[in-house]
Amino acid sequence: MAFLLVCGAFTSCLRSDDLEMLHHPIDVTGSVSPQYGIPVANGEMNINDLLSKLSANYQGLITDDEVVTLEYNANMIDTIFAFSQIPDVAPAHSVAPSAKDGTMWYSKDTVIIDTIDIDFFNDVSEFSGQLDMEHIWLAIAVRAYGECPETVRPYVRATFDNLIISYEDHNGALKPYAGINVDPIQITDITEGFNHSFDTIDIASIANDMPRRLFTQYRLRFNVSSEFITNNIGSMYFGEVLDSVRMSRLIYAADLKVTMPLSIRFNNLTYSFDIDLGDGLSSVDLDSIFSSISEGIEVNIDTARFRMVLDNGIPMAFTLSAKMQDGNGNDLFDIYQNKTIASANTVPDADDPNRYHASSSVVTTLDAILHQAELNMLDEARVMKVTLVTDTDSKHVTIRRDDFLRLKAYLMVRPTVDVNISVTDNGIL
């Protein structure tokens, strides 16, 4: 009724030729372009999450220090039993000692080797330039304990000495670390148990080799007085040596700890890693979206955009490249090529003006155009392969535990909707 009243009022103002138009069929035509933002992924990564992404096998621990500190630990323990407890092993022949005046101490050595894996650099695929870390701390502790009768105790002792440190660099080459010299450590009563922690060693000079693992090697020298035995124990099996002094077992152990505060400077450190999309993009049913606009309306789409919004609170910039892959690791299409993600804003550290830390985050938006060929492959995408180049912009920065990188990803679709709707077949008058 309202429509008719309006039409009546409208027709009263029309000329006769305009009025004639209302006796004919009426169609509504035109084009509109609505925009749809389809969420693909979102979340926030603190520095531990980010490190986990940067290395598929990352096993380091984050300590409670304000500056992010990675911690790696390794423990080794072994026991040498007396021969009387190890049947079926033939002892070696004894050798008479060389003639000397006074008491002699015969010795038998065993070398203790311990390994600690460092996975922080494992997935670095490319690196050019200099990498400086303020500190890489190596702590070593050794323990030893022997069981023997009370009457034997004055005639046995041990020494820890000849500490050697080496490491495997990023390319797998074994290299020595020369910056250490440790005095021998005497154990005068092995039955009391012995614990010793070496001074913590700063091995930061090896950072540029991006070590994959560290090795420590030192000698445990077991000594027996010639007042107790007359055989040179150097050529005997260790189990036979323990039998000779009526010891039941000798236990030795070592603990290693590496801590790496992320006070660091580098450029062009490149990581490659995968982001599992699950069923993310395959769940985007564009046909369903378009049909929901209205039945019978023609909807066309030639391009769409893949958008990532990154809010970076970490004091380093990133250069990002990414490509979509199917479930078998086959490349589908490129998303981004060498896109810059701005560093967080930084300020000098209050304790050291030559170091910087993040003061506020910076937002970067990355857009990638997807043409029809890429859109047709969306439902096959299961993995986004990311190559990330990190850079501290020649600054020495400290990364703190609450630094973060927030991420949101969308598929932005703007279809062209062509409208041609018949309002009436007979006119409205």
Side-chain angles (χ1 to χ4, degrees):
M1 181 62 71
F3 176 72
L4 292 175
L5 289 173
V6 170
C7 288
F10 178 64
T11 55
S12 65
C13 301
L14 292 177
R15 297 174 301 174
S16 60
D17 53 344
D18 293 329
L19 189 61
E20 180 63 23
M21 293 172 57
L22 301 181
H23 291 285
H24 298 282
I26 297 176
D27 295 332
V28 176
T29 62
S31 295
V32 294
S33 295
Q35 178 165 286
Y36 293 83
I38 305 165
V40 173
N42 69 82
E44 176 178 322
M45 292 188 291
N46 60 27
I47 192 64
N48 188 62
D49 301 325
L50 183 62
L51 292 174
S52 299
K53 291 291 185 185
L54 295 182
S55 180
N57 301 308
Y58 170 68
Q59 297 294 323
L61 302 175
I62 301 291
T63 68
D64 290 333
D65 300 271
E66 180 182 10
V67 175
V68 171
T69 302
L70 310 185
E71 181 177 302
Y72 297 89
N73 292 278
N75 309 100
M76 184 278 295
I77 186 168
D78 201 1
T79 301
I80 302 174
F81 291 96
F83 250 49
S84 59
Q85 301 183 49
I86 313 176
D88 304 326
V89 179
H93 296 292
S94 61
V95 178
S98 57
K100 287 186 178 179
D101 294 332
T103 302
M104 296 180 62
W105 288 89
Y106 300 113
S107 64
K108 179 67 178 179
D109 297 346
T110 185
V111 176
I112 302 171
I113 300 175
D114 205 358
T115 304
I116 188 166
D117 292 324
I118 299 174
D119 57 18
F120 178 65
F121 305 104
N122 277 12
D123 289 339
V124 175
S125 57
E126 184 180 340
F127 175 59
S128 62
Q130 183 73 21
L131 188 152
D132 296 319
M133 300 191 75
E134 189 169 3
H135 300 292
I136 301 179
W137 299 110
L138 171 62
I140 307 172
V142 294
R143 305 187 301 278
Y145 171 70
E147 295 178 350
C148 66
E150 184 73 21
T151 55
V152 177
R153 291 173 62 181
Y155 303 103
V156 294
R157 64 190 185 192
T159 306
F160 278 106
D161 63 6
N162 200 29
L163 176 62
I164 299 172
I165 297 174
S166 56
Y167 63 96
E168 180 183 314
D169 72 9
H170 193 257
N171 297 318
L174 184 63
K175 296 184 176 181
Y177 176 77
I180 182 171
N181 184 23
V182 176
D183 294 331
I185 303 165
Q186 302 291 336
I187 308 172
T188 56
D189 190 342
I190 195 71
T191 63
E192 286 187 351
F194 168 79
N195 293 274
H196 179 79
S197 295
F198 294 94
D199 292 338
T200 301
I201 307 162
D202 190 355
I203 56 172
S205 60
I206 73 174
N208 204 57
D209 283 333
M210 295 183 291
R212 292 184 181 271
R213 54 187 55 87
L214 286 171
F215 306 96
T216 60
Q217 175 179 311
Y218 45 90
R219 180 173 57 192
L220 173 61
R221 171 162 286 181
F222 186 69
N223 302 287
V224 183
S225 171
S226 61
E227 296 178 273
F228 189 81
I229 61 173
T230 59
N231 292 334
N232 185 350
I233 63 177
S235 59
M236 300 167 63
Y237 290 113
F238 226 117
E240 187 184 7
V241 173
L242 299 185
D243 262 344
S244 299
V245 296
R246 299 196 297 278
M247 288 187 70
S248 59
R249 60 178 178 168
L250 176 65
I251 303 169
Y252 56 89
D255 300 323
L256 298 182
K257 182 171 72 172
V258 172
T259 49
M260 299 169 54
L262 290 190
S263 180
I264 191 168
R265 175 174 54 201
F266 57 82
N267 61 292
N268 297 331
L269 193 66
T270 303
Y271 287 90
S272 295
F273 60 96
D274 296 338
I275 295 178
D276 186 359
L277 298 175
D279 294 328
L281 289 174
S282 65
S283 65
V284 178
D285 188 346
L286 296 178
D287 291 336
S288 175
I289 294 171
F290 298 157
S291 64
S292 69
I293 297 175
S294 181
E295 185 177 355
I297 295 179
E298 184 178 357
V299 180
N300 298 299
I301 180 170
D302 295 321
T303 60
R305 284 177 295 154
F306 188 84
R307 171 171 290 182
M308 293 180 69
V309 180
L310 302 109
D311 186 8
N312 187 12
I314 299 173
M316 63 177 70
F318 303 96
T319 301
L320 183 145
S321 299
K323 62 180 63 178
M324 292 297 183
Q325 295 182 333
D326 64 18
N328 296 318
N330 300 313
D331 293 345
L332 296 175
F333 54 90
D334 290 335
I335 294 291
Y336 301 113
Q337 284 290 335
N338 299 323
K339 298 293 185 180
T340 299
I341 302 171
S343 167
N345 294 316
T346 60
V347 295
D349 192 288
D351 297 327
D352 185 348
N354 294 315
R355 295 185 304 179
Y356 295 79
H357 63 80
S359 58
S360 60
S361 63
V362 174
V363 176
T364 300
T365 300
L366 305 180
D367 275 339
I369 300 298
L370 303 182
H371 298 284
Q372 190 62 55
E374 288 90 358
L375 292 174
N376 292 339
M377 291 186 283
L378 278 182
D379 60 348
E380 300 179 52
R382 294 294 184 275
V383 171
M384 185 160 64
K385 183 78 172 183
V386 176
T387 300
L388 202 62
V389 182
T390 56
D391 199 320
T392 64
D393 193 25
S394 300
K395 296 177 181 177
H396 198 122
V397 302
T398 56
I399 303 175
R400 298 178 299 180
R401 286 193 303 130
D402 55 356
D403 292 343
F404 62 87
L405 178 66
R406 293 192 182 103
L407 165 69
K408 292 183 179 180
Y410 303 90
L411 181 64
M412 308 296 293
V413 180
R414 187 187 294 273
T416 300
V417 181
D418 295 320
V419 180
N420 188 356
I421 303 174
S422 177
V423 176
T424 174
D425 292 332
N426 301 312
I428 59 175
L429 292 180

